[in-house]
Amino acid sequence: MSGSLPREPSSSAGPSGRRRTWAELLAGRVKKQKYNPEKGQKLKDSAVHLLRCHQNLNDLLLEVEDPQYKSLCLSKLIDCDSAGEHTDCSISFIGSALQDQALRLGVPVGILSARMFAGCVEQVCAEPSNPVLLNAEQRKKLSSLLDIAQYLLTHNMFSRLSFCQELWKAQNSLLLEAVWRLHAQNVVNLQELLESHPDTQAMATWLFGNLCLLCEQTDASCPSTDVAEAMLSGLVQLLVLRGFQENLALKRTVTPEKMPQVAIDVLQRMSVFALDTLAAGRLDTSDHKAVRGWFGVYSGRSCCGMIGVDSLKRFFSHTLTQILTHNPVLKVSDAIQMQKEWSFAKTHPLLTTLYCRLFVMLSPEESISHLKEVLEMQEVNWQRVLSCVSTLVTCFPEAQQLVKDWVACLMTRAFESYHLDNMVTAFLVVRQAALEGPSIFPSYADWFKVCAPCPQDPYSLFCFQQHSLS
């Protein structure tokens, strides 16, 4: 403006009147310091901390990029929005760029790559079209990323532990299929990933919720049903193997006992969820679909393979115990009144199918032996116990004689020691088996005539008559 006063000459101007740069102004103020290894390590630690806490890694990288290196910006090299496959040459180039970038930042390349790939996986999972599964485009992008991660692992430029820790920070955004593919393609296995979680209960809750959603997908008519079934089978095999192995002293990276505990916890939650859903009678709901999908894992094609027979039997026995002891609110008097409603024909088909799959693996002999043990040691749900007996005698003819022998043993023990509980159990089991018809088991009246006690034992006869009239 014409009225503006003339500026005073700048004190920062050089001899020729040129304005000096900040580097020139500060040049005389910087004192040369001796090299101190401790300060160097502190500086490196601070850089790592800054890298971990920074919300936008791409912005941080842009801040340290020299103009001549902008074409090598890692956000461009590892482009999550591109579904194209990387060649060996381009993957090698990315590795070199990561090393250069880590050197300029003063941080280990493994931490830098882990942080960056965790962000890329989170970006791939963004805006999902399915609660647990990737779509075709997302699978292609993730596959491309995993190729790069495998290369970096091979060349010791990828920290698994840092990657797991960074990945869990985006837990609510993760899709289960992405986590499964990290395991299946040997980037980080599921055990390593689960054990790195800082909160075991939160992680178990996350896995349980995702398994329920995955079970729903196995019962849905969609193009990805086969992917869902393969994932569910693989996850259950891993959980059973880790939760019900005989030798728990496997090598682990963090806490030796964490993985078995998590595996058992998640499997128990799934069983309780399924039994609660059946008890509530929630038909034609998403929960009911999830139960159908979950009971499918007990079929031979889902469980057999990588799991040893002993581990599988322990898992099936554990499941049978859960069924028999789930919500034991019914008393013996309730059982006597409601027995007719618990016959094989009136039991939910999903439950009878599950019983049959358990009995095939355990055999009728082992199943009855386990049933005896549970009845002697724990409080039971009589509806589950008696529907179990009905399924045994109806679907496994060899079990009919086993049940007769069991009842005879109960009666002998009852009359020898006047043990009323044994007598009550015998009556309930016989009445239940007799409900399935004379072609399967003798009628209650016929059995009573054969097994009536000696008349000169008035106390036994009185107890016998009292319970037979109930």
Side-chain angles (χ1 to χ4, degrees):
M1 293 176 63
S2 59
S4 45
L5 295 173
R7 287 188 178 180
E8 292 293 329
S10 172
S11 60
S12 62
S16 60
R18 178 180 60 83
R19 185 180 294 275
R20 286 182 292 176
T21 65
W22 278 105
E24 290 172 334
L25 287 170
L26 297 174
R29 300 173 182 269
V30 178
K31 293 182 179 180
K32 191 173 181 180
Q33 298 181 358
K34 292 182 179 180
Y35 173 71
N36 188 329
E38 292 183 3
K39 287 186 177 180
Q41 185 59 44
K42 286 182 180 179
L43 182 61
K44 185 175 289 189
D45 293 341
S46 298
V48 171
H49 178 71
L50 175 64
L51 183 61
R52 285 182 178 277
C53 297
H54 205 283
Q55 295 301 311
N56 191 327
L57 186 60
N58 289 332
D59 289 348
L60 178 62
L61 293 173
L62 285 172
E63 290 174 14
V64 299
E65 288 282 4
D66 294 329
Q68 63 266 34
Y69 291 109
K70 283 194 176 179
S71 61
L72 300 182
C73 183
L74 297 181
S75 62
K76 302 296 182 183
L77 290 172
I78 307 174
D79 188 357
C80 297
D81 294 328
S82 172
E85 294 184 2
H86 293 278
T87 63
D88 291 340
C89 183
S90 66
I91 292 177
S92 176
F93 186 58
I94 290 171
S96 299
L98 275 166
Q99 285 181 315
D100 292 343
Q101 197 65 266
L103 187 61
R104 283 196 293 278
L105 286 170
V107 297
V109 65
I111 292 177
L112 175 65
S113 60
R115 175 67 175 88
M116 175 159 288
F117 273 87
C120 287
V121 172
E122 181 183 1
Q123 190 175 338
V124 167
C125 294
E127 299 180 3
S129 56
N130 186 286
V132 286
L133 301 178
L134 302 167
N135 58 37
E137 187 72 12
Q138 288 172 316
R139 286 191 191 110
K140 197 171 182 181
K141 290 177 183 179
L142 184 62
S143 178
S144 182
L145 283 172
L146 296 184
D147 288 341
I148 302 172
Q150 287 171 336
Y151 171 87
L152 296 174
L153 278 167
T154 303
H155 292 81
N156 297 317
M157 290 191 289
F158 190 86
S159 169
R160 280 188 172 93
L161 180 58
S162 295
F163 176 73
C164 293
Q165 291 170 343
E166 295 296 335
L167 202 60
W168 283 125
K169 292 179 183 179
Q171 175 176 316
N172 294 332
S173 304
L174 287 179
L175 291 178
L176 185 61
E177 185 180 346
V179 173
W180 173 249
R181 289 187 180 276
L182 288 169
H183 167 84
Q185 296 190 30
N186 298 316
V187 175
V188 286
N189 63 58
L190 193 62
Q191 177 175 332
E192 206 172 352
L193 192 61
L194 296 180
E195 288 184 341
S196 68
H197 199 290
D199 187 339
T200 302
Q201 284 300 314
M203 182 264 298
T205 300
W206 177 84
L207 186 54
F208 161 69
N210 277 273
L211 274 178
C212 289
L213 293 171
L214 183 62
C215 289
E216 287 181 40
Q217 300 304 310
T218 62
D219 194 60
S221 299
C222 65
S224 298
T225 300
D226 56 339
V227 176
E229 289 176 350
M231 280 177 57
L232 183 59
S233 177
L235 285 167
V236 170
Q237 286 183 12
L238 179 67
L239 292 173
V240 171
L241 187 62
R242 293 293 179 262
F244 293 93
Q245 57 195 338
E246 187 172 4
N247 181 15
L248 298 179
L250 293 181
K251 293 181 180 179
R252 294 181 177 85
T253 56
V254 184
T255 306
E257 295 300 323
K258 182 183 285 189
M259 184 62 191
Q261 290 173 357
V262 169
I264 292 174
D265 182 23
V266 172
L267 292 171
Q268 285 186 164
R269 290 192 195 200
M270 291 301 298
S271 294
V272 170
F273 160 74
L275 293 170
D276 283 341
T277 301
L278 290 182
R282 296 194 291 265
L283 303 178
D284 299 324
T285 64
S286 58
D287 285 352
H288 195 257
K289 289 181 180 179
V291 171
R292 283 202 296 265
W294 177 246
F295 283 175
V297 307
Y298 290 89
S299 63
R301 61 186 178 86
S302 294
C303 284
C304 296
M306 294 177 62
I307 309 177
V309 174
D310 290 340
S311 294
L312 204 55
K313 281 191 172 185
R314 280 190 285 272
F315 170 52
F316 277 43
S317 295
H318 183 79
T319 300
L320 183 56
T321 300
Q322 276 193 284
I323 295 171
L324 299 175
T325 58
H326 174 254
N327 197 19
V329 294
L330 295 171
K331 300 177 181 179
V332 171
S333 57
D334 299 320
I336 293 172
Q337 293 175 7
M338 302 171 68
Q339 262 187 292
K340 291 182 180 179
E341 301 301 316
W342 301 340
S343 65
F344 176 79
K346 294 182 179 180
T347 301
H348 197 291
L350 282 177
L351 188 58
T352 56
T353 300
L354 177 59
Y355 281 141
C356 289
R357 288 172 176 172
L358 296 176
F359 299 153
V360 166
M361 173 56 63
L362 298 176
S363 79
E365 292 87 349
E366 289 181 72
S367 300
I368 290 178
S369 176
H370 191 75
L371 184 57
K372 292 180 191 176
E373 183 179 338
V374 171
L375 280 167
E376 290 174 1
M377 304 296 294
Q378 300 186 54
E379 192 175 0
V380 297
N381 180 322
W382 280 105
Q383 181 179 4
R384 302 288 188 225
V385 170
L386 297 178
S387 62
C388 174
V389 170
S390 281
T391 305
L392 264 171
V393 297
T394 302
C395 299
F396 298 86
E398 64 271 33
Q400 297 168 14
Q401 186 58 49
L402 294 171
V403 169
K404 292 176 183 177
D405 295 342
W406 175 29
V407 170
C409 180
L410 286 171
M411 293 299 295
T412 300
R413 289 167 58 186
F415 288 129
E416 285 178 351
S417 58
Y418 299 110
H419 199 289
L420 198 58
D421 287 348
N422 285 330
M423 186 178 293
V424 169
T425 301
F427 287 147
L428 287 174
V429 170
V430 169
R431 285 162 59 105
Q432 190 67 29
L435 288 174
E436 306 307 329
S439 61
I440 292 176
F441 202 86
S443 68
Y444 187 64
D446 291 342
W447 174 84
F448 184 86
K449 291 175 183 177
V450 172
C451 296
C454 178
Q456 55 262 40
D457 185 353
Y459 178 76
S460 297
L461 182 59
F462 172 75
C463 291
F464 200 83
Q465 288 172 336
Q466 290 297 310
H467 284 282
S468 64
L469 293 172
S470 300

